[in-house]
Amino acid sequence: MKILGDASFASLNQMFANIAIWSYRHKWQVMLMCCVAFGACGYLAQKVRMDNSFEAFFDESDPTYSAYNVFRDNFGSDEIIYIMFDASDSTHGVFNEQIISKIDRLGKAIDAGVPFVKKVRSITNAELMVADGDDLDIRKISDKLPLDQAQLLKFADLFRNKPLYVNNLFDREQKLGVMVVEMSRSSTDPIDQIRLDPEDGDGLENLYPQVSAAALTQILSDPEFVDIPFYLSGDVPINATYNRILDKESTSLGAICMTIIVLLLLIFFRGRVIGAVGPIVVVGLAVMVTVAFMSLMDWPIDMMFGLAPTLLITIGVADAVHIISEFLTQLRKHESREMALRDTLYVVGTPCLLTSITTAIGFLSMSMAPVKTISHLAIYISLGVLAAFFLSITLLTFFLSFIRPAKQSAGRRERPGYLSRMLNRCSQFTLNNPGICMMAFSVTVIVAGVGLKNLKVDSNYLLDFDKSVKVRKDTEHIDNTMGGMSAYAYLFDTAKEGGIKNPKFLAELDRVQSQVLGHQPLVRKATSIVDLIKDINQSFHNDDPAYYRIPESADLISQYLLVYELSGGEDLYTYVTRDFSQAVLQIRTQLTDTSELAKFEAQMQEYLNANPLYLSERSNTGMGALYLKLMTYISDSQILGFSIALTVITLLFAIIFSSVKMGLISMIPNIAPIMVVGGLMGWTGTYLDYSKLLIAPVALGIAVDDTIHMMTRFKLEFERVGDYRKAFVITFNEAGRALVITSVTLACGWSAMLMSTMEVTFWFSVLLSSTIALALLADLFVTPLLIIWAQPFGPEKEKLDGASA
């Protein structure tokens, strides 16, 4: 197979040598063009907005998300602020006179002072229905204030008999109370709808949900309310906390990471500032190009974008280090910087191009993922990778052109450094102990394979936060003591105006709701129009619990709902559409792993298959349904994307090295790091969720990059010396040096991310660093042995000469 043969390699090498000469001779033009391009990119980058909501994962055309939007159009935004207050130390608990007074004032303060609030629900404004003949009196504590303690206890007695509110707005012991703040906006609404001050720009602190969370925090800090323990959760506090941490840590931890990388590069390149600053400049500008592209595509900065700088640093620093390391080597051979640059790109230009192409392909394979943020990330990271390569062979050469050759004493040879001595010892160990190297490699892969069987695709949004983060602690406390924090919903469509008033339909809905409530402790609460109708029916029968049931007459049900509306009831359309054709069953579950929700849904589907609905069609919606669909997408896209990337990269290796055998052999050290990282996740019980979806393509990209540099240099040296073992030693000491510098620098740099208050960032750092280390070990101790064994570059000179003789 001779698709890309020696002549093609030579042509590419010469092309990059010519680029180096042109860039050196026109370095100021290169700098000017780069400045103009980056000025334009900087202008575009300022127009990008941030969207870290969960819904940002879905494209608007996605069927599940479309169904969710229909649900939201009919029933409003389902984003909430969930406030639990603890009245355990107060006499009479949540119905204590002082507690009620403060909660009423707090509710009014939130309604007036928190932006984008639609309604505040608590025991002070909950509808308490009392029948008076044919009339219905809807009472609210807030309408009767001030009340003395005796009057409040009468309200407490009435509320105890209302299942709609027990374990919803207060617990059975009436020690814990809840305020549910319903929002009028969602994080995915257009930017002009979530901006607080139209004149104050699109900064994070001027947008929903940050403005809402900040206003609520300020209200709760008022001395009037500080004596009541409050616990905050819900979409607004969680999303706002996520946004703030991401915004803060992307700057602070990013700066620490960059500082570590710069210091290590200074050490490795013996104090040469260009060697340390050059790669960082290349990466920084590549990120700017990426953001500018996002602006042109009108894509927001979402939760996945936080990985972009990390990924581009991984790729950009690698190419830059190979170029700088080779340049310093060539500079010792040439007194001319132009010739040193020429020979540098002649040697490493082609492998840098090939690594960029294969890495871009690896990421592009994920662009078919139905998860919007991941699809976008795959595309703009691929562009960023190519931008980093272009900058490395142009702008980086501008910086290198100012480095002067080091002065050496006459007649004195430069003593090899520690890294060179270490690489030489490692090369000798590999050549003298191939069995030990391959045995260690095989055992590691086998152990990883066992762990890989335990790898689980799952997610728990709350676990993205470190245990020390307040919103996680509050949410876990609420989840364990009061009610579920995850929203799940069933939408029942009767396809008939007024269809939900049919008592037979209500009976079907009631039995489904009862079945749902049977899934304890996962399901904490389930509410629907059934609860409201039962409550009205009980109220018209002197609050007799025996009448907490659905009336048998459709006319009576219609009358009840009409009387309820005429009496000022406000909750009806929380449960049904205006034409009474659709009803929603709101389910509150524990904020747990999505696999638990999947089991629940499977059991419910099994129940409905055995006990079908006859008067409506059920569909899943709400945030819980989106989570389940997301996990399905992750599982499917991971398998599909990785399979495509692996196949395409294998073919590219076969083409690049003109050998199918070489393409297959090259995949052995490239698949191994992925298996080991997956096995590590399996052994430690770390889930493969949305944030770790890119571990496999990143691992493949890193491993392939190292392999390409190792193999292309091996091929070049073999063509010079004609001996595989000699070529290996030279390659190990030349290309191996850049591989070690890159790997050590990046792995240490990512250690800064271990300080993150986001568990997702912590684990990504651990897994990425492990991948870098494993890829290095595989390409230093396994790839050369495979090449020596397979001899893909042809026979050695001695054997060839012997055959000729």
Side-chain angles (χ1 to χ4, degrees), residues 506 510 529-539 541 544-553 556-557 560:
L506 292 172
D510 189 28
I529 186 64
V530 167
D531 299 288
L532 183 62
I533 291 174
K534 287 180 177 181
D535 195 2
I536 299 173
N537 192 41
Q538 180 181 350
S539 299
H541 291 86
D544 184 349
Y547 285 89
Y548 189 75
R549 54 183 171 82
I550 301 169
E552 297 179 358
S553 167
L556 183 56
I557 292 171
Y560 277 168

Side-chain angles (χ1 to χ4, degrees), residues 684-696:
T684 59
T686 305
Y687 294 158
L688 177 63
D689 58 19
Y690 69 89
S691 64
K692 304 179 190 72
L693 175 62
L694 290 168
I695 289 294

Side-chain angles (χ1 to χ4, degrees), residues 20 53 75 94 122 138 153 155 162 201 216 291 314 362 368 381 400 405 420 445 490 570 573 615 647 714 724 734 798:
S53 65
F75 297 98
V94 297
S122 71
I138 297 181
L153 291 178
F155 268 101
K162 300 295 182 180
L216 176 64
V291 177
T314 302
M368 294 180 291
I381 285 295
L400 293 178
S420 297
V445 171
Y490 288 162
E570 300 174 352
Y573 297 109
L615 297 175
T647 301
F714 206 131
Y724 279 100
E734 297 295 338
E798 291 184 1

Side-chain angles (χ1 to χ4, degrees), residues 6 55 117 121 141 162 164 202 207 268 304 414 545 566 606 646 688 705 719 721 741 769:
D6 295 341
E55 293 94 324
V117 167
R121 297 178 181 273
I141 291 177
K162 300 295 182 180
L164 185 60
D202 298 334
L207 300 177
F268 280 122
M304 299 303 294
E414 184 178 2
L566 292 175
E606 183 179 353
L646 189 63
L688 177 63
D705 286 1
E719 290 170 352
V721 301
I741 292 174
S769 297

Side-chain angles (χ1 to χ4, degrees), residues 651-728:
L651 290 175
L652 281 176
F653 263 96
I655 294 171
I656 290 168
F657 295 103
S658 306
S659 169
V660 174
K661 179 171 67 173
M662 196 63 203
L664 295 175
I665 289 174
S666 66
M667 285 297 103
I668 295 175
N670 291 326
I671 296 175
I674 300 168
M675 288 186 62
V676 175
V677 169
L680 176 64
M681 294 173 67
W683 282 114
T684 59
T686 305
Y687 294 158
L688 177 63
D689 58 19
Y690 69 89
S691 64
K692 304 179 190 72
L693 175 62
L694 290 168
I695 289 294
V698 172
L700 183 61
I702 292 172
V704 167
D705 286 1
D706 287 355
T707 301
I708 287 178
H709 279 289
M710 178 65 71
M711 286 184 168
T712 52
R713 189 56 176 264
F714 206 131
K715 176 180 172 65
L716 183 64
E717 297 303 335
F718 175 76
E719 290 170 352
R720 291 175 177 173
V721 301
D723 184 288
Y724 279 100
R725 295 172 70 87
K726 291 180 180 179
F728 161 66

Side-chain angles (χ1 to χ4, degrees), residues 115-351:
F116 306 113
V117 167
K118 179 172 64 178
K119 187 173 183 177
V120 181
R121 297 178 181 273
S122 71
I123 53 175
T124 65
N125 64 356
E127 297 179 345
L128 192 60
M129 291 177 283
V130 179
D132 183 10
D134 293 333
D135 295 326
L136 190 66
D137 182 18
I138 297 181
R139 303 173 184 175
K140 297 179 182 178
I141 291 177
S142 58
D143 293 338
K144 307 293 184 180
L145 290 176
L147 296 171
D148 60 31
Q149 191 61 63
Q151 291 171 315
L152 282 173
L153 291 178
K154 290 181 181 179
F155 268 101
D157 290 337
L158 293 173
F159 270 112
R160 286 193 190 97
N161 295 321
K162 300 295 182 180
L164 185 60
Y165 300 130
V166 177
N167 283 340
N168 191 359
L169 294 181
F170 55 87
D171 67 336
R172 293 189 182 279
E173 291 75 27
Q174 299 179 5
K175 298 296 185 182
L176 301 174
V178 170
M179 301 180 73
V180 179
V181 184
E182 299 175 1
M183 310 306 295
S184 62
R185 290 286 179 263
S186 172
S187 299
T188 54
D189 288 338
I191 187 70
D192 60 314
Q193 295 182 18
I194 63 174
R195 190 187 297 121
L196 178 62
D197 184 351
E199 305 298 327
D200 204 20
D202 298 334
L204 195 63
E205 299 308 320
N206 190 44
L207 300 177
Y208 172 87
Q210 276 68 232
V211 291
S212 301
L216 176 64
T217 301
Q218 185 175 2
I219 290 172
L220 290 177
S221 65
D222 190 293
E224 180 181 7
F225 307 120
V226 294
D227 59 330
I228 302 177
F230 288 104
Y231 302 89
L232 299 182
S233 187
D235 306 277
V236 171
I238 290 177
N239 287 342
T241 301
Y242 203 118
N243 290 348
R244 282 197 300 269
I245 291 176
L246 183 63
D247 185 54
K248 177 183 177 182
E249 292 189 349
S250 62
T251 302
S252 60
L253 295 185
I256 296 173
C257 175
M258 287 294 189
T259 301
I260 294 173
I261 290 175
V262 168
L263 290 175
L264 286 174
L265 289 177
L266 280 172
I267 294 172
F268 280 122
F269 291 126
R270 300 183 180 182
R272 292 182 176 90
V273 176
I274 296 299
V277 175
I280 302 303
V281 172
V282 166
V283 171
L285 295 177
V287 172
M288 186 182 296
V289 171
T290 301
V291 177
F293 173 76
M294 295 172 66
S295 177
L296 288 173
M297 299 298 293
D298 196 27
W299 293 346
I301 291 178
D302 50 42
M303 283 187 279
M304 299 303 294
F305 179 78
L307 301 176
T310 299
L311 301 176
L312 290 178
I313 287 173
T314 302
I315 306 303
V317 167
D319 282 351
V321 166
H322 277 281
I323 291 174
I324 295 171
S325 180
E326 184 63 31
F327 174 75
L328 295 177
T329 299
Q330 294 295 336
L331 198 58
R332 288 192 290 269
K333 301 176 182 178
H334 303 281
E335 290 188 4
S336 167
R337 283 169 286 183
E338 180 179 336
M339 294 301 99
L341 280 172
R342 181 201 64 187
D343 287 357
T344 294
L345 287 194
Y346 183 90
V347 172
V348 300
T350 298

